Amino acid sequence: MTVSVEQIQRIAGFELNALRLSGALGEEFEKVRIPKRGTTIYDLNGAVLFYRIPLRRGQIASGYVDIAADEAFGEPLLATSMGLAWDEKALLETGTARVLEVWPQLKYDAVRFVAYSFPKIALQFLLRRKEVLMLELFSWVEIPPKPPEPRKQLEPSNFERWSLLDELPENVKRTRVRNFRERLELSNLPALQMIDLSVIMKEKLQIRDIVIKLFDTWEIHYSQRQNDHYTCYELRSQQTPVWCVAASVEMVLNFYRYSYDQVRIAQELDLGTCAMPNGLPYSRVGDVVTVMENLTSNALDVTMHTNPTWNIFHSEISANRPMISFIPGHSRSVAGYTHSLLNFPGQVPYRGLLVYDPWPPPATNCTDPEVGGVITRWENFATQTYQFAYSSVLRQV
Amino acid sequence: MSDPGRNTHDAADIDRQARRLLAQGTSGDEPLRRAGTVGHALAVLAPDGRFHSWFVPVTVGDRLAAFFQFLADGTLMRFSSFPRRSGGFADCPIAADWLDHIRIRAHTEPQRRIDETTGEPWLTYDRVPDRLVWSVPLTDAQGQVRQVYVVGKTVYVPPPGDTFD
């Protein structure tokens, strides 16, 4: 099933306004207009694949947006670009001039845009609905015919023509169609019908009676009932310039109502005293597991993760279990996450962690536990190196 | 200390970005939005002296309530706040301890040896950018320089690099 042409401008408007609201699109998109008409781009099998719609700011063409016409994409918004204007008429003129120059005898009665190797686009010249020539856009090089050799699906060689719709596995298509329809329902909300979405503006979707979920966010709290959310995690600063690990362990143990103070935890971790403190050597990262389990009489089952991924943080925090995060030379605890629900297909959405960082320490060692540390909301996951993480599961109560 | 990545145009852009993030509520809570003043971006240099990121303080009165840290390309690395509860600015560090060079230099006095002179502080970090510090060079009569780290009122000698601190 394909999306009707009438819906395209509206979908583009909704998607771009939502991305602008979420901050994924910058100032350069503000007050950009989305026209009603775009270029139809076909799949190699002849189906309408997507529409490329030029974007304008005032009289100036400034970029374009690609909106899926086929549900097999899974998301209506495929891509958007600023800086490179899309001029269908000029491209057709250049392409046909090239044909006249190189293939002056060629006869054709139609020309259309084809994604010959998605997202690469070509001009396809047809005579009585049969292709007579295909030229890649901008390079104006002829695309060779489909090679006779069979190959694995979705593994085309360089400069090979292939059909996205024909090669996409059926099970993938089914899932994507479901996603696509759910996404489309959002832009069809009755309350949105009253709004002109053809101009991108940051405040456009900040309207009463419409709640658009832009982020999935979770902070540690008492239960997993979303509506009863009340944050229950506390910051502990490191009581010496080298006790970040002790402070991180203290935060997690305090969450589980074990009220050991940092001096005691430092002692268990062999981190010296307030007068003569030392850090935790790299060779003893496993001690965190042992000490936390010992201090809780094995009520906590602690696991160390090397090079932890986003999924580990996400699944543990979602289960209401705070974590300890080691980065090179430092340790903190993590009690929340957020990630953007709107992003372009194939791109990593914004992901952030709520970090309870014991740094900086108070002025003098072990004198003022209620001073120091910072709460980082949010730490950009893409900009940090995560060496180790520790998760803990309550086994006995 | 060299500051090759810094120029006033970049700093002004970062200032604007920080002000916008705070004003629109992307970073910080309501009390901070109402009371906070976004200061000017300061360059954070890596320990080897190369430009690393921008530190943008948010003050409430004489307190440092929060700060932004942006990478050179403007990517927001983090927004960190000191209050342990919303509006709890009284317990935040004194802003001058973090921002006033004279005061930062003065904090190193107990560490300064009799033949050492105190140089100009530069904002850097202790191994990871999470651990922001001012590095203050102390130079002895023979011209030997050693760095002392200052963070708030805490002063310490850079620790060896083989531990988590």
Side-chain angles (χ1 to χ4, degrees):
Chain A
M1 184 184 127
T2 56
V3 181
S4 71
V5 177
E6 291 71 33
Q7 284 179 285
I8 296 301
Q9 185 197 34
R10 193 148 191 86
I11 296 166
F14 172 75
E15 295 289 336
L16 293 178
N17 273 295
L19 281 169
R20 180 76 189 107
L21 176 62
S22 75
L25 294 183
E27 290 285 339
E28 68 275 19
F29 280 85
E30 191 69 7
K31 294 186 181 161
V32 163
R33 184 168 287 282
I34 306 160
K36 281 190 175 136
R37 192 181 169 281
T39 305
T40 306
I41 313 286
Y42 293 86
D43 184 75
L44 206 60
N45 71 6
V48 176
L49 196 58
F50 65 94
Y51 296 95
R52 177 159 290 183
I53 303 168
L55 299 174
R56 303 190 76 85
R57 185 184 248 157
Q59 293 303 307
I60 301 161
S62 45
Y64 61 82
V65 57
D66 290 343
I67 297 295
D70 197 290
E71 293 169 321
F73 278 109
E75 297 261 357
L77 179 65
L78 302 180
T80 187
S81 171
M82 286 304 259
L84 182 66
W86 174 257
D87 188 340
E88 176 186 327
K89 190 165 168 266
L91 288 166
L92 283 170
E93 283 171 2
T94 309
T96 49
R98 173 80 173 162
V99 170
L100 200 61
E101 181 192 337
V102 183
W103 297 274
Q105 306 303 318
L106 188 80
K107 290 194 174 0
Y108 59 91
D109 55 18
V111 187
R112 65 182 181 183
F113 291 82
V114 172
Y116 77 91
S117 172
F118 179 80
K120 295 177 190 166
I121 300 174
L123 272 187
Q124 190 180 40
F125 295 82
L126 305 156
L127 180 64
R128 288 186 286 277
R129 296 188 178 180
K130 279 201 73 175
E131 181 190 315
V132 288
L133 180 69
M134 193 187 286
L135 297 180
E136 188 183 49
L137 281 198
F138 306 109
S139 72
W140 307 114
V141 173
E142 184 180 0
I143 313 271
K146 192 175 173 62
E149 295 294 313
R151 57 159 173 77
K152 280 188 181 171
Q153 297 282 77
L154 298 172
E155 291 184 9
S157 56
N158 189 31
F159 209 54
E160 178 184 335
R161 60 169 72 195
W162 62 282
S163 161
L164 178 74
L165 294 180
D166 288 351
E167 295 203 18
L168 212 55
E170 276 309 313
N171 59 333
V172 175
K173 267 189 201 167
R174 274 196 298 276
T175 311
R176 287 185 172 189
V177 166
R178 203 167 47 242
N179 291 347
F180 191 96
R181 289 179 182 170
E182 283 172 10
R183 191 93 191 100
L184 214 55
E185 277 174 19
L186 261 181
S187 58
N188 287 333
L189 286 172
L192 281 174
Q193 302 303 317
M194 308 300 290
I195 302 165
D196 171 20
L197 293 171
S198 66
V199 179
I200 304 165
M201 291 173 78
K202 190 163 179 66
E203 282 80 28
K204 189 75 84 169
L205 294 178
Q206 284 179 329
I207 43 180
R208 278 181 56 192
D209 305 329
I210 297 179
V211 178
I212 297 165
K213 196 173 180 195
L214 300 173
F215 289 91
D216 169 24
T217 300
W218 190 269
E219 293 183 30
I220 294 288
H221 53 291
Y222 290 105
S223 72
Q224 287 184 275
R225 288 155 52 162
Q226 185 73 289
N227 290 336
D228 297 332
H229 198 140
Y230 195 88
T231 306
C232 63
Y233 200 72
E234 294 180 353
L235 176 65
R236 302 282 178 260
S237 61
Q238 53 189 92
Q239 292 302 297
T240 79
V242 291
W243 278 2
C244 63
V245 178
S248 303
V249 169
E250 184 185 6
M251 283 187 257
V252 172
L253 290 181
N254 283 183
F255 170 77
Y256 288 109
R257 305 299 187 269
Y258 291 95
S259 47
Y260 293 107
D261 67 16
Q262 204 172 116
V263 177
R264 169 72 192 283
I265 295 167
Q267 187 185 341
E268 295 292 328
L269 285 164
D270 202 13
L271 301 179
T273 62
C274 289
M276 288 284 286
N278 56 269
L280 183 77
Y282 275 60
S283 56
R284 285 189 9 226
V285 290
D287 288 11
V288 174
V289 175
T290 317
V291 166
M292 286 181 74
E293 289 182 346
N294 285 348
L295 287 175
T296 60
S297 304
N298 291 315
L300 283 183
D301 183 2
V302 181
T303 304
M304 184 172 91
H305 308 267
T306 304
N307 301 322
T309 60
W310 169 263
N311 287 343
I312 289 175
F313 287 106
H314 184 271
S315 63
E316 287 300 307
I317 301 298
S318 298
N320 254 346
R321 296 192 290 258
M323 296 188 78
I324 294 172
S325 157
F326 276 26
I327 56 176
H330 191 47
S331 126
R332 316 81 48 83
S333 71
V334 178
Y337 68 78
T338 185
H339 67 101
S340 168
L341 294 172
L342 289 177
N343 59 294
F344 299 113
Q347 284 188 357
V348 178
Y350 176 81
R351 299 184 299 193
L353 292 178
L354 173 58
V355 175
Y356 284 67
D357 192 333
W359 187 262
T364 47
N365 290 357
C366 304
T367 53
D368 205 348
E370 293 189 28
V371 169
V374 289
I375 299 169
T376 296
R377 183 183 278 116
W378 306 93
E379 174 179 271
N380 189 338
F381 194 79
T383 65
Q384 187 58 273
T385 303
Y386 300 92
Q387 271 187 320
F388 301 101
Y390 300 84
S391 59
S392 44
V393 180
L394 200 55
R395 290 292 183 212
Q396 304 162 3
V397 177
Chain B
M1 183 55 58
S2 67
D3 188 359
R6 186 176 187 182
N7 67 60
T8 50
H9 176 71
D10 289 342
D13 287 346
I14 295 295
D15 289 353
R16 273 194 293 276
Q17 195 178 336
R19 277 197 294 273
R20 195 171 60 239
L21 288 171
L22 187 64
Q24 71 191 22
T26 309
S27 300
D29 57 9
E30 187 55 35
L32 186 66
R33 260 196 302 289
R34 269 191 276 114
T37 302
V38 178
H40 291 300
L42 301 172
V44 178
L45 306 184
D48 63 6
R50 284 181 300 173
F51 179 85
H52 176 270
S53 53
W54 294 104
F55 168 86
V56 186
V58 181
T59 55
V60 174
D62 67 343
R63 305 293 164 150
L64 177 67
F67 59 86
F68 293 89
Q69 207 171 344
F70 295 94
L71 293 179
D73 65 0
T75 302
L76 178 62
M77 254 181 80
R78 62 168 170 156
F79 173 77
S80 298
S81 57
F82 289 96
R84 295 187 176 194
R85 60 189 182 286
S86 187
F89 302 122
D91 296 326
C92 294
I94 303 286
D97 286 332
W98 281 69
L99 304 172
D100 180 351
H101 283 205
I102 296 170
R103 194 146 167 160
I104 292 162
R105 287 172 59 162
H107 285 317
T108 64
E109 274 305 295
Q111 292 271 348
R112 188 171 68 83
R113 294 172 192 143
I114 199 145
D115 64 338
E116 286 179 328
T117 53
T118 312
E120 200 54 31
W122 52 286
L123 189 56
T124 183
Y125 50 84
D126 175 5
R127 285 166 291 167
V128 277
D130 266 34
R131 296 166 64 102
L132 287 170
V133 292
W134 286 92
S135 187
V136 183
L138 300 176
T139 309
D140 66 16
Q142 283 73 48
Q144 289 280 88
V145 183
R146 68 186 181 102
Q147 303 288 332
V148 173
Y149 286 166
V150 180
V151 53
K153 287 179 175 157
T154 305
V155 185
Y156 66 102
V157 175
D162 56 353
T163 54
F164 290 97
D165 302 327

